[in-house]
Amino acid sequence: MIEAATGKSEIEATDFEAVFVNNSKLAQIFAHLNRFNPIRVMRMERMEIRHSAILAWLLNPQESHGLSDQFLKAFLGEALRGQAGLGFPTALDVVRADLRKAQIRREWQNIDILIHLPDEGWAFVVENKFDSRQHSGQLTRYIEKVQALIQHDEHELIVRGIFLTLHDEEPADSRYAPINYDIICEILPEVLTREAHSLTVETKTFLNHYLEILEEELGRSQQRTEMEKLARELYREHKKVLDFVIEHGANSDFAIAMQSITGDDPERVVPVTIEGKTYHFDWIGNDAAQFLPAHWYDGFGGERYDWEGCEEWGMGYPLVAWLQLSSDVDGNGGQLRLYAEVGPLSSHTFRQALIENIVEAATKVGTEKVRFQRDAAEEGKRSSKFLKQNSLNIRDVQDADEITINVKKLLKKFENEFEIIGKLLPKFQKYGVRAQ
């Protein structure tokens, strides 16, 4: 018999047996955590140069993947969609063109990926920012280099830029079309399905591993979401034992920092006050914590409504926010980010109106910290992030005190945005379904 961490009850050996002996939920979680992915095994998932190498391979029609120019067309088409202001070529021009003779260069003149289409007289400079940020003037210099160094006999070479990011960031040069890795997670499975007949087993396996890495980095992995739901069920069923294990076993510094802010047992129905503002936390993990600002929780009517389409997403509400800590390649420093996202609502009318109202409210007060991607409100879109200027550097990811200070800074920084959005939410309660 063991005295529990709270001192209020005792843990029997049978309590531990219920958790650790033939527990199917625990077995599923272990299997998920220990699944084999060669990209992760080689510690390449956070290395920007490796992502550029994989993308350059995918974009090259002459490579061994068997996709011909289909991924190249899909990538350029999405990057140029809605970017008619950049001029010729447009997304439609790309779709109509034969790109099978495209020449792909990587790390040429310090350019991450260069796509040269001699027959069309086009060149695309792809700047890949998986973790790093753009440097002053670099985007302009890359276009100027291509214009100066690549000769085109028949007419002037048309050079366009593509700014690819993991986390939303606007390019400093307006000649670059912004696109993020979310789009790759959407177009690559479609291309793989369409071209399945020409793919080898090895290619399919590798690209599925790559998609798994991207989806987890973007927080959109369905498998991870299912495992997180399973973990929450396991915790609810065996809370007493798992609290004991957490207190006396290993824990991440992020989780320690969050628990010092929210308490050891944050619950959605129990408000947590941080720096004078209230938040409802759903869970705290080793590198992320999910929550709703009280303005959003109250604006959606608290627990009174269910939201169709969001039953298995986020906290089950149309909006969700979360904090996430990621480490740099060296494992010492990192970035703390604050995200907010509109979920996969069943009603496109509701989803579109919610996004448009958030944009209108942000524009009205002149905040630059709320901005959606251009296709956020399109039908079929499942989730859409919208916070900008949302990261802080962490010098030591194993310093719980530094993490605590920066969590409070980030929440403080977005207090006004949380409140502005919260004020417009009550009118959307009509889309909710009364909870049973």
Side-chain angles (χ1 to χ4, degrees), residues 220-261:
R220 56 181 290 168
S221 168
Q222 186 62 37
Q223 187 180 24
R224 177 162 178 162
T225 299
E226 291 171 0
M227 289 300 107
E228 288 169 354
K229 180 183 176 184
L230 198 64
R232 290 195 289 273
E233 291 175 3
L234 184 69
Y235 179 74
R236 285 194 295 268
E237 293 168 4
H238 304 283
K239 182 177 183 299
K240 186 168 58 174
V241 171
L242 293 176
D243 279 347
F244 183 87
V245 172
I246 290 169
E247 180 160 340
H248 296 282
N251 207 353
S252 75
D253 290 280
F254 175 83
I256 292 170
M258 290 305 305
Q259 288 170 5
S260 74
I261 295 171

mmCIF file of all heavy atoms in Angstrom, residues 220-261:
data_model
loop_
_atom_site.group_PDB
_atom_site.id
_atom_site.type_symbol
_atom_site.label_atom_id
_atom_site.label_comp_id
_atom_site.label_asym_id
_atom_site.label_seq_id
_atom_site.Cartn_x
_atom_site.Cartn_y
_atom_site.Cartn_z
ATOM 1 N N ARG A 220 -1.407 18.506 -36.761
ATOM 2 C CA ARG A 220 -2.614 18.070 -37.462
ATOM 3 C C ARG A 220 -2.638 16.558 -37.704
ATOM 4 O O ARG A 220 -3.394 16.074 -38.535
ATOM 5 C CB ARG A 220 -2.769 18.812 -38.792
ATOM 6 C CG ARG A 220 -1.589 18.699 -39.735
ATOM 7 C CD ARG A 220 -1.821 19.480 -41.005
ATOM 8 N NE ARG A 220 -2.833 18.891 -41.843
ATOM 9 C CZ ARG A 220 -3.398 19.482 -42.889
ATOM 10 N NH1 ARG A 220 -3.062 20.711 -43.188
ATOM 11 N NH2 ARG A 220 -4.310 18.879 -43.615
ATOM 12 N N SER A 221 -1.831 15.830 -36.960
ATOM 13 C CA SER A 221 -1.790 14.378 -37.114
ATOM 14 C C SER A 221 -3.041 13.760 -36.508
ATOM 15 O O SER A 221 -3.272 13.849 -35.303
ATOM 16 C CB SER A 221 -0.538 13.804 -36.438
ATOM 17 O OG SER A 221 -0.627 12.397 -36.351
ATOM 18 N N GLN A 222 -3.852 13.089 -37.341
ATOM 19 C CA GLN A 222 -5.062 12.442 -36.860
ATOM 20 C C GLN A 222 -4.727 11.305 -35.910
ATOM 21 O O GLN A 222 -5.406 11.096 -34.895
ATOM 22 C CB GLN A 222 -5.887 11.915 -38.040
ATOM 23 C CG GLN A 222 -7.249 11.352 -37.648
ATOM 24 C CD GLN A 222 -8.150 12.397 -37.025
ATOM 25 O OE1 GLN A 222 -8.148 13.552 -37.421
ATOM 26 N NE2 GLN A 222 -8.920 11.991 -36.021
ATOM 27 N N GLN A 223 -3.643 10.589 -36.230
ATOM 28 C CA GLN A 223 -3.235 9.477 -35.363
ATOM 29 C C GLN A 223 -2.828 9.992 -33.993
ATOM 30 O O GLN A 223 -3.201 9.433 -32.959
ATOM 31 C CB GLN A 223 -2.078 8.704 -35.997
ATOM 32 C CG GLN A 223 -1.713 7.432 -35.236
ATOM 33 C CD GLN A 223 -0.570 6.680 -35.875
ATOM 34 O OE1 GLN A 223 0.238 7.260 -36.602
ATOM 35 N NE2 GLN A 223 -0.480 5.385 -35.603
ATOM 36 N N ARG A 224 -2.083 11.103 -33.983
ATOM 37 C CA ARG A 224 -1.682 11.676 -32.691
ATOM 38 C C ARG A 224 -2.895 12.178 -31.923
ATOM 39 O O ARG A 224 -2.977 12.025 -30.704
ATOM 40 C CB ARG A 224 -0.678 12.805 -32.907
ATOM 41 C CG ARG A 224 -0.279 13.487 -31.612
ATOM 42 C CD ARG A 224 0.968 14.283 -31.720
ATOM 43 N NE ARG A 224 1.290 14.946 -30.481
ATOM 44 C CZ ARG A 224 2.482 15.425 -30.188
ATOM 45 N NH1 ARG A 224 3.472 15.280 -31.047
ATOM 46 N NH2 ARG A 224 2.698 16.032 -29.044
ATOM 47 N N THR A 225 -3.845 12.784 -32.635
ATOM 48 C CA THR A 225 -5.061 13.259 -31.984
ATOM 49 C C THR A 225 -5.802 12.108 -31.321
ATOM 50 O O THR A 225 -6.295 12.226 -30.191
ATOM 51 C CB THR A 225 -5.976 13.955 -33.008
ATOM 52 O OG1 THR A 225 -5.291 15.084 -33.561
ATOM 53 C CG2 THR A 225 -7.265 14.441 -32.356
ATOM 54 N N GLU A 226 -5.889 10.979 -32.025
ATOM 55 C CA GLU A 226 -6.566 9.806 -31.463
ATOM 56 C C GLU A 226 -5.827 9.271 -30.238
ATOM 57 O O GLU A 226 -6.446 8.869 -29.248
ATOM 58 C CB GLU A 226 -6.671 8.715 -32.532
ATOM 59 C CG GLU A 226 -7.639 9.072 -33.662
ATOM 60 C CD GLU A 226 -7.570 8.092 -34.816
ATOM 61 O OE1 GLU A 226 -6.755 7.145 -34.724
ATOM 62 O OE2 GLU A 226 -8.313 8.275 -35.793
ATOM 63 N N MET A 227 -4.484 9.284 -30.305
ATOM 64 C CA MET A 227 -3.708 8.819 -29.161
ATOM 65 C C MET A 227 -3.845 9.769 -27.971
ATOM 66 O O MET A 227 -3.882 9.331 -26.813
ATOM 67 C CB MET A 227 -2.226 8.680 -29.539
ATOM 68 C CG MET A 227 -1.925 7.520 -30.469
ATOM 69 S SD MET A 227 -2.369 5.887 -29.767
ATOM 70 C CE MET A 227 -3.830 5.523 -30.755
ATOM 71 N N GLU A 228 -3.917 11.071 -28.253
ATOM 72 C CA GLU A 228 -4.108 12.036 -27.165
ATOM 73 C C GLU A 228 -5.466 11.832 -26.494
ATOM 74 O O GLU A 228 -5.588 11.920 -25.262
ATOM 75 C CB GLU A 228 -3.978 13.458 -27.704
ATOM 76 C CG GLU A 228 -2.540 13.825 -28.062
ATOM 77 C CD GLU A 228 -2.436 15.133 -28.830
ATOM 78 O OE1 GLU A 228 -3.504 15.686 -29.182
ATOM 79 O OE2 GLU A 228 -1.311 15.599 -29.070
ATOM 80 N N LYS A 229 -6.479 11.549 -27.302
ATOM 81 C CA LYS A 229 -7.804 11.268 -26.741
ATOM 82 C C LYS A 229 -7.753 10.002 -25.881
ATOM 83 O O LYS A 229 -8.318 9.956 -24.771
ATOM 84 C CB LYS A 229 -8.815 11.085 -27.874
ATOM 85 C CG LYS A 229 -10.231 10.787 -27.398
ATOM 86 C CD LYS A 229 -11.174 10.542 -28.564
ATOM 87 C CE LYS A 229 -12.564 10.159 -28.076
ATOM 88 N NZ LYS A 229 -13.469 9.826 -29.197
ATOM 89 N N LEU A 230 -7.053 8.982 -26.382
ATOM 90 C CA LEU A 230 -6.915 7.738 -25.632
ATOM 91 C C LEU A 230 -6.157 7.983 -24.327
ATOM 92 O O LEU A 230 -6.508 7.425 -23.273
ATOM 93 C CB LEU A 230 -6.175 6.708 -26.494
ATOM 94 C CG LEU A 230 -6.297 5.233 -26.094
ATOM 95 C CD1 LEU A 230 -7.736 4.760 -26.227
ATOM 96 C CD2 LEU A 230 -5.373 4.390 -26.973
ATOM 97 N N ALA A 231 -5.117 8.831 -24.387
ATOM 98 C CA ALA A 231 -4.335 9.136 -23.188
ATOM 99 C C ALA A 231 -5.185 9.855 -22.144
ATOM 100 O O ALA A 231 -5.059 9.591 -20.943
ATOM 101 C CB ALA A 231 -3.121 9.990 -23.565
ATOM 102 N N ARG A 232 -6.066 10.747 -22.613
ATOM 103 C CA ARG A 232 -6.938 11.444 -21.667
ATOM 104 C C ARG A 232 -7.918 10.470 -21.010
ATOM 105 O O ARG A 232 -8.211 10.578 -19.812
ATOM 106 C CB ARG A 232 -7.681 12.577 -22.375
ATOM 107 C CG ARG A 232 -6.785 13.735 -22.766
ATOM 108 C CD ARG A 232 -7.591 14.965 -23.135
ATOM 109 N NE ARG A 232 -8.298 14.823 -24.392
ATOM 110 C CZ ARG A 232 -7.761 15.114 -25.579
ATOM 111 N NH1 ARG A 232 -6.512 15.538 -25.652
ATOM 112 N NH2 ARG A 232 -8.469 14.990 -26.683
ATOM 113 N N GLU A 233 -8.428 9.509 -21.798
ATOM 114 C CA GLU A 233 -9.319 8.492 -21.238
ATOM 115 C C GLU A 233 -8.575 7.650 -20.192
ATOM 116 O O GLU A 233 -9.112 7.358 -19.113
ATOM 117 C CB GLU A 233 -9.848 7.581 -22.346
ATOM 118 C CG GLU A 233 -10.808 8.266 -23.305
ATOM 119 C CD GLU A 233 -11.211 7.349 -24.455
ATOM 120 O OE1 GLU A 233 -10.788 6.172 -24.458
ATOM 121 O OE2 GLU A 233 -11.947 7.809 -25.356
ATOM 122 N N LEU A 234 -7.344 7.254 -20.526
ATOM 123 C CA LEU A 234 -6.535 6.458 -19.610
ATOM 124 C C LEU A 234 -6.295 7.236 -18.318
ATOM 125 O O LEU A 234 -6.367 6.677 -17.209
ATOM 126 C CB LEU A 234 -5.205 6.096 -20.281
ATOM 127 C CG LEU A 234 -4.270 5.172 -19.504
ATOM 128 C CD1 LEU A 234 -4.851 3.772 -19.427
ATOM 129 C CD2 LEU A 234 -2.892 5.134 -20.164
ATOM 130 N N TYR A 235 -6.023 8.538 -18.454
ATOM 131 C CA TYR A 235 -5.760 9.370 -17.273
ATOM 132 C C TYR A 235 -7.004 9.481 -16.392
ATOM 133 O O TYR A 235 -6.923 9.375 -15.165
ATOM 134 C CB TYR A 235 -5.287 10.756 -17.716
ATOM 135 C CG TYR A 235 -5.017 11.686 -16.545
ATOM 136 C CD1 TYR A 235 -3.885 11.509 -15.753
ATOM 137 C CD2 TYR A 235 -5.894 12.715 -16.235
ATOM 138 C CE1 TYR A 235 -3.630 12.349 -14.678
ATOM 139 C CE2 TYR A 235 -5.658 13.547 -15.156
ATOM 140 C CZ TYR A 235 -4.520 13.359 -14.381
ATOM 141 O OH TYR A 235 -4.287 14.175 -13.303
ATOM 142 N N ARG A 236 -8.162 9.679 -17.019
ATOM 143 C CA ARG A 236 -9.389 9.794 -16.231
ATOM 144 C C ARG A 236 -9.692 8.498 -15.468
ATOM 145 O O ARG A 236 -10.153 8.518 -14.328
ATOM 146 C CB ARG A 236 -10.570 10.159 -17.138
ATOM 147 C CG ARG A 236 -10.580 11.610 -17.581
ATOM 148 C CD ARG A 236 -11.920 11.983 -18.187
ATOM 149 N NE ARG A 236 -12.182 11.264 -19.418
ATOM 150 C CZ ARG A 236 -11.856 11.722 -20.626
ATOM 151 N NH1 ARG A 236 -11.232 12.892 -20.737
ATOM 152 N NH2 ARG A 236 -12.143 11.030 -21.707
ATOM 153 N N GLU A 237 -9.415 7.369 -16.117
ATOM 154 C CA GLU A 237 -9.722 6.081 -15.504
ATOM 155 C C GLU A 237 -8.752 5.713 -14.380
ATOM 156 O O GLU A 237 -9.112 4.982 -13.441
ATOM 157 C CB GLU A 237 -9.703 4.982 -16.568
ATOM 158 C CG GLU A 237 -10.820 5.109 -17.597
ATOM 159 C CD GLU A 237 -10.613 4.195 -18.801
ATOM 160 O OE1 GLU A 237 -9.632 3.406 -18.780
ATOM 161 O OE2 GLU A 237 -11.407 4.279 -19.756
ATOM 162 N N HIS A 238 -7.491 6.208 -14.488
ATOM 163 C CA HIS A 238 -6.467 5.806 -13.522
ATOM 164 C C HIS A 238 -5.728 7.035 -12.985
ATOM 165 O O HIS A 238 -4.507 7.019 -12.810
ATOM 166 C CB HIS A 238 -5.473 4.841 -14.181
ATOM 167 C CG HIS A 238 -6.114 3.631 -14.777
ATOM 168 N ND1 HIS A 238 -6.558 2.569 -14.026
ATOM 169 C CD2 HIS A 238 -6.427 3.332 -16.074
ATOM 170 C CE1 HIS A 238 -7.083 1.650 -14.819
ATOM 171 N NE2 HIS A 238 -7.023 2.092 -16.072
ATOM 172 N N LYS A 239 -6.474 8.070 -12.713
ATOM 173 C CA LYS A 239 -5.895 9.360 -12.311
ATOM 174 C C LYS A 239 -5.000 9.237 -11.083
ATOM 175 O O LYS A 239 -3.907 9.807 -11.030
ATOM 176 C CB LYS A 239 -7.023 10.367 -12.068
ATOM 177 C CG LYS A 239 -6.559 11.773 -11.683
ATOM 178 C CD LYS A 239 -7.752 12.681 -11.533
ATOM 179 C CE LYS A 239 -7.309 14.105 -11.230
ATOM 180 N NZ LYS A 239 -6.541 14.193 -9.974
ATOM 181 N N LYS A 240 -5.439 8.500 -10.082
ATOM 182 C CA LYS A 240 -4.713 8.403 -8.823
ATOM 183 C C LYS A 240 -3.309 7.831 -9.038
ATOM 184 O O LYS A 240 -2.313 8.382 -8.560
ATOM 185 C CB LYS A 240 -5.507 7.536 -7.842
ATOM 186 C CG LYS A 240 -4.917 7.470 -6.451
ATOM 187 C CD LYS A 240 -5.900 6.843 -5.464
ATOM 188 C CE LYS A 240 -6.320 5.442 -5.881
ATOM 189 N NZ LYS A 240 -7.166 4.809 -4.831
ATOM 190 N N VAL A 241 -3.232 6.729 -9.800
ATOM 191 C CA VAL A 241 -1.929 6.102 -10.046
ATOM 192 C C VAL A 241 -1.057 6.982 -10.925
ATOM 193 O O VAL A 241 0.137 7.173 -10.650
ATOM 194 C CB VAL A 241 -2.120 4.716 -10.701
ATOM 195 C CG1 VAL A 241 -0.783 4.149 -11.173
ATOM 196 C CG2 VAL A 241 -2.779 3.758 -9.724
ATOM 197 N N LEU A 242 -1.623 7.531 -11.990
ATOM 198 C CA LEU A 242 -0.821 8.315 -12.932
ATOM 199 C C LEU A 242 -0.344 9.626 -12.316
ATOM 200 O O LEU A 242 0.760 10.085 -12.619
ATOM 201 C CB LEU A 242 -1.624 8.566 -14.213
ATOM 202 C CG LEU A 242 -1.907 7.300 -15.027
ATOM 203 C CD1 LEU A 242 -2.793 7.608 -16.217
ATOM 204 C CD2 LEU A 242 -0.612 6.642 -15.494
ATOM 205 N N ASP A 243 -1.129 10.234 -11.437
ATOM 206 C CA ASP A 243 -0.662 11.418 -10.724
ATOM 207 C C ASP A 243 0.557 11.078 -9.864
ATOM 208 O O ASP A 243 1.517 11.855 -9.774
ATOM 209 C CB ASP A 243 -1.771 11.984 -9.829
ATOM 210 C CG ASP A 243 -2.754 12.846 -10.599
ATOM 211 O OD1 ASP A 243 -2.437 13.204 -11.752
ATOM 212 O OD2 ASP A 243 -3.820 13.163 -10.056
ATOM 213 N N PHE A 244 0.517 9.904 -9.249
ATOM 214 C CA PHE A 244 1.642 9.449 -8.423
ATOM 215 C C PHE A 244 2.892 9.259 -9.292
ATOM 216 O O PHE A 244 3.991 9.674 -8.927
ATOM 217 C CB PHE A 244 1.277 8.140 -7.723
ATOM 218 C CG PHE A 244 2.337 7.634 -6.793
ATOM 219 C CD1 PHE A 244 2.385 8.057 -5.471
ATOM 220 C CD2 PHE A 244 3.290 6.722 -7.238
ATOM 221 C CE1 PHE A 244 3.370 7.588 -4.609
ATOM 222 C CE2 PHE A 244 4.275 6.257 -6.387
ATOM 223 C CZ PHE A 244 4.323 6.690 -5.071
ATOM 224 N N VAL A 245 2.700 8.629 -10.464
ATOM 225 C CA VAL A 245 3.826 8.382 -11.378
ATOM 226 C C VAL A 245 4.403 9.703 -11.877
ATOM 227 O O VAL A 245 5.626 9.888 -11.924
ATOM 228 C CB VAL A 245 3.369 7.509 -12.571
ATOM 229 C CG1 VAL A 245 4.467 7.419 -13.622
ATOM 230 C CG2 VAL A 245 2.976 6.122 -12.085
ATOM 231 N N ILE A 246 3.518 10.647 -12.235
ATOM 232 C CA ILE A 246 3.979 11.944 -12.745
ATOM 233 C C ILE A 246 4.778 12.693 -11.690
ATOM 234 O O ILE A 246 5.845 13.260 -11.965
ATOM 235 C CB ILE A 246 2.777 12.789 -13.214
ATOM 236 C CG1 ILE A 246 2.179 12.192 -14.492
ATOM 237 C CG2 ILE A 246 3.197 14.230 -13.458
ATOM 238 C CD1 ILE A 246 0.846 12.790 -14.879
ATOM 239 N N GLU A 247 4.282 12.693 -10.454
ATOM 240 C CA GLU A 247 4.956 13.455 -9.394
ATOM 241 C C GLU A 247 6.303 12.860 -9.047
ATOM 242 O O GLU A 247 7.257 13.581 -8.769
ATOM 243 C CB GLU A 247 4.081 13.524 -8.146
ATOM 244 C CG GLU A 247 4.751 14.301 -7.025
ATOM 245 C CD GLU A 247 3.774 14.788 -5.983
ATOM 246 O OE1 GLU A 247 2.567 14.872 -6.277
ATOM 247 O OE2 GLU A 247 4.222 15.088 -4.864
ATOM 248 N N HIS A 248 6.411 11.520 -9.081
ATOM 249 C CA HIS A 248 7.643 10.877 -8.618
ATOM 250 C C HIS A 248 8.512 10.354 -9.761
ATOM 251 O O HIS A 248 9.614 9.849 -9.514
ATOM 252 C CB HIS A 248 7.296 9.730 -7.667
ATOM 253 C CG HIS A 248 6.613 10.207 -6.422
ATOM 254 N ND1 HIS A 248 7.286 10.779 -5.369
ATOM 255 C CD2 HIS A 248 5.289 10.243 -6.084
ATOM 256 C CE1 HIS A 248 6.427 11.115 -4.417
ATOM 257 N NE2 HIS A 248 5.205 10.806 -4.832
ATOM 258 N N GLY A 249 8.039 10.481 -10.977
ATOM 259 C CA GLY A 249 8.827 10.026 -12.117
ATOM 260 C C GLY A 249 9.357 11.197 -12.927
ATOM 261 O O GLY A 249 9.329 12.347 -12.505
ATOM 262 N N ALA A 250 9.858 10.886 -14.122
ATOM 263 C CA ALA A 250 10.402 11.931 -14.990
ATOM 264 C C ALA A 250 9.275 12.790 -15.536
ATOM 265 O O ALA A 250 8.152 12.342 -15.713
ATOM 266 C CB ALA A 250 11.170 11.291 -16.146
ATOM 267 N N ASN A 251 9.577 14.048 -15.808
ATOM 268 C CA ASN A 251 8.603 14.967 -16.370
ATOM 269 C C ASN A 251 9.357 16.010 -17.170
ATOM 270 O O ASN A 251 10.520 16.287 -16.904
ATOM 271 C CB ASN A 251 7.797 15.632 -15.247
ATOM 272 C CG ASN A 251 6.417 16.051 -15.711
ATOM 273 O OD1 ASN A 251 6.105 15.967 -16.883
ATOM 274 N ND2 ASN A 251 5.600 16.492 -14.779
ATOM 275 N N SER A 252 8.714 16.614 -18.152
ATOM 276 C CA SER A 252 9.397 17.624 -18.958
ATOM 277 C C SER A 252 9.384 18.962 -18.228
ATOM 278 O O SER A 252 8.512 19.243 -17.393
ATOM 279 C CB SER A 252 8.716 17.772 -20.319
ATOM 280 O OG SER A 252 7.503 18.487 -20.181
ATOM 281 N N ASP A 253 10.346 19.805 -18.577
ATOM 282 C CA ASP A 253 10.408 21.135 -17.963
ATOM 283 C C ASP A 253 9.243 21.994 -18.423
ATOM 284 O O ASP A 253 8.794 22.873 -17.683
ATOM 285 C CB ASP A 253 11.753 21.788 -18.289
ATOM 286 C CG ASP A 253 12.897 21.107 -17.555
ATOM 287 O OD1 ASP A 253 13.085 21.410 -16.362
ATOM 288 O OD2 ASP A 253 13.570 20.267 -18.161
ATOM 289 N N PHE A 254 8.749 21.747 -19.646
ATOM 290 C CA PHE A 254 7.566 22.480 -20.099
ATOM 291 C C PHE A 254 6.368 22.132 -19.217
ATOM 292 O O PHE A 254 5.632 23.012 -18.760
ATOM 293 C CB PHE A 254 7.250 22.153 -21.562
ATOM 294 C CG PHE A 254 5.980 22.789 -22.055
ATOM 295 C CD1 PHE A 254 5.973 24.101 -22.497
ATOM 296 C CD2 PHE A 254 4.778 22.077 -22.061
ATOM 297 C CE1 PHE A 254 4.799 24.700 -22.935
ATOM 298 C CE2 PHE A 254 3.608 22.665 -22.496
ATOM 299 C CZ PHE A 254 3.615 23.982 -22.939
ATOM 300 N N ALA A 255 6.163 20.828 -18.969
ATOM 301 C CA ALA A 255 5.039 20.409 -18.132
ATOM 302 C C ALA A 255 5.181 20.952 -16.716
ATOM 303 O O ALA A 255 4.199 21.395 -16.101
ATOM 304 C CB ALA A 255 4.938 18.888 -18.111
ATOM 305 N N ILE A 256 6.405 20.947 -16.192
ATOM 306 C CA ILE A 256 6.642 21.492 -14.852
ATOM 307 C C ILE A 256 6.300 22.977 -14.825
ATOM 308 O O ILE A 256 5.663 23.473 -13.888
ATOM 309 C CB ILE A 256 8.107 21.259 -14.432
ATOM 310 C CG1 ILE A 256 8.368 19.761 -14.225
ATOM 311 C CG2 ILE A 256 8.445 22.040 -13.173
ATOM 312 C CD1 ILE A 256 9.833 19.410 -14.054
ATOM 313 N N ALA A 257 6.732 23.698 -15.877
ATOM 314 C CA ALA A 257 6.445 25.132 -15.949
ATOM 315 C C ALA A 257 4.943 25.382 -15.996
ATOM 316 O O ALA A 257 4.419 26.250 -15.286
ATOM 317 C CB ALA A 257 7.121 25.729 -17.177
ATOM 318 N N MET A 258 4.227 24.612 -16.835
ATOM 319 C CA MET A 258 2.788 24.815 -16.963
ATOM 320 C C MET A 258 2.058 24.470 -15.668
ATOM 321 O O MET A 258 1.105 25.149 -15.274
ATOM 322 C CB MET A 258 2.236 23.984 -18.116
ATOM 323 C CG MET A 258 2.661 24.463 -19.497
ATOM 324 S SD MET A 258 2.277 26.204 -19.808
ATOM 325 C CE MET A 258 0.514 26.243 -19.478
ATOM 326 N N GLN A 259 2.501 23.408 -15.002
ATOM 327 C CA GLN A 259 1.847 23.031 -13.752
ATOM 328 C C GLN A 259 2.105 24.054 -12.657
ATOM 329 O O GLN A 259 1.269 24.255 -11.775
ATOM 330 C CB GLN A 259 2.313 21.635 -13.328
ATOM 331 C CG GLN A 259 1.731 20.535 -14.211
ATOM 332 C CD GLN A 259 2.347 19.178 -13.978
ATOM 333 O OE1 GLN A 259 3.171 19.004 -13.088
ATOM 334 N NE2 GLN A 259 1.951 18.204 -14.786
ATOM 335 N N SER A 260 3.248 24.745 -12.722
ATOM 336 C CA SER A 260 3.501 25.805 -11.746
ATOM 337 C C SER A 260 2.577 26.995 -11.976
ATOM 338 O O SER A 260 2.278 27.747 -11.050
ATOM 339 C CB SER A 260 4.967 26.270 -11.833
ATOM 340 O OG SER A 260 5.191 27.062 -13.001
ATOM 341 N N ILE A 261 2.087 27.133 -13.213
ATOM 342 C CA ILE A 261 1.186 28.235 -13.554
ATOM 343 C C ILE A 261 -0.272 27.859 -13.300
ATOM 344 O O ILE A 261 -1.051 28.633 -12.750
ATOM 345 C CB ILE A 261 1.361 28.634 -15.036
ATOM 346 C CG1 ILE A 261 2.763 29.194 -15.271
ATOM 347 C CG2 ILE A 261 0.302 29.661 -15.453
ATOM 348 C CD1 ILE A 261 3.094 29.410 -16.736
#
